[in-house]
Amino acid sequence: MRTLAFPLASLLSSPAFAEGFDRPVPQAQSATAEFWFAMASIALIVSMLAVQSLVSRR
């Protein structure tokens, strides 16, 4: 079985079986997605400020 592993792996990994790379097409964000991203960013900033105030008290 070990003697077949290398030839089999080299045959299956040959460029003949490889597919070409298709670049992903970027999708535009909707206004709803931008709104929720802004809300999440603001929430992150507020939470980081809260953590900083709690840590500075110690």
Side-chain angles (χ1 to χ4, degrees):
M1 188 66 170
R2 290 182 189 171
T3 59
L4 293 177
F6 181 73
L8 187 61
S10 63
L11 285 175
L12 291 178
S13 64
S14 67
F17 293 111
E19 292 184 15
F21 177 71
D22 294 328
R23 295 188 78 164
V25 178
Q27 300 291 327
Q29 288 187 350
S30 64
T32 306
E34 289 182 3
F35 170 75
W36 285 114
F37 182 78
M39 290 295 115
S41 300
I42 292 169
L44 178 64
I45 292 169
V46 169
S47 65
M48 294 300 276
L49 289 172
V51 167
Q52 197 274 334
S53 68
L54 286 172
V55 170
S56 67
R57 288 185 185 174
R58 290 184 174 202

